[in-house]
Amino acid sequence: MRRKFGNKPVTVDGVRFDSHGEYFRWLELQALEREGVIRNLERQITVPLVVNGTKVCALRPDFAYFESGKRVYDDFKGHETRDWRVKWKLAQAIFPNIEWRISKGK
C-alpha cells in the first residue's frame, strides 16, 4: 500500500514506528535517557484537548519525557498537515507549562 506522505513504517522488536525518522529519534531519546539527560521516556501518549469542559479533540505526540524537571512533548514530523498544526497550537494554548518540540526529518 502506498502511504500518503511517502513514509515507510518500521517495526523493531515488535514496536511499530510510523517512519524510520521516528525510530531514529526514539534511539536518540533512549540514549539521552541512559545518559541521565532526560527521564521517564514514553511513546504515543494521548493528550485530550479540552476547552471549557468540552473535549475538542486529542493530540498524540510521538514522545513524552522530562528534561531539567520540565515536561516535554516531542513529535517527529516529516510532513505537517493543516489539522495537525491546529491541534499543535491548541495544545500549546491549553498547556503553556509544557515544552512542545517538533523533531524534523532530515
Side-chain angles (χ1 to χ4, degrees):
M1 177 172 107
R2 186 174 178 276
R3 308 265 310 171
K4 186 174 182 178
F5 297 111
N7 59 315
K8 293 180 181 147
V10 60
T11 301
V12 179
D13 297 329
V15 180
R16 185 185 178 281
F17 296 88
D18 286 339
S19 68
H20 284 86
E22 182 182 321
Y23 169 64
F24 290 124
R25 179 65 178 149
W26 173 247
L27 294 178
E28 291 172 351
L29 292 172
Q30 284 184 315
L32 290 173
E33 187 175 42
R34 280 191 302 274
E35 294 167 8
V37 175
I38 66 172
R39 63 183 174 81
N40 295 44
L41 178 60
E42 301 175 274
R43 288 190 65 242
Q44 301 291 327
I45 65 159
T46 300
V47 180
L49 303 178
V50 179
V51 178
N52 295 328
T54 301
K55 181 180 176 187
V56 176
C57 57
L59 181 68
R60 199 162 189 166
D62 294 317
F63 312 108
Y65 50 89
F66 287 89
E67 182 177 44
S68 301
K70 187 168 185 145
R71 184 67 160 167
V72 177
Y73 290 145
D74 186 329
D75 211 19
F76 183 85
K77 283 291 166 212
H79 177 81
E80 296 177 13
T81 64
R82 183 182 53 160
D83 288 346
W84 177 85
R85 282 192 297 270
V86 169
K87 286 182 180 184
W88 191 255
K89 287 184 181 215
L90 179 60
Q92 289 175 313
I94 293 171
F95 301 105
N97 294 330
I98 292 175
E99 184 164 334
W100 299 86
R101 293 184 184 165
I102 302 170
S103 301
K104 295 280 188 172
K106 295 177 172 99

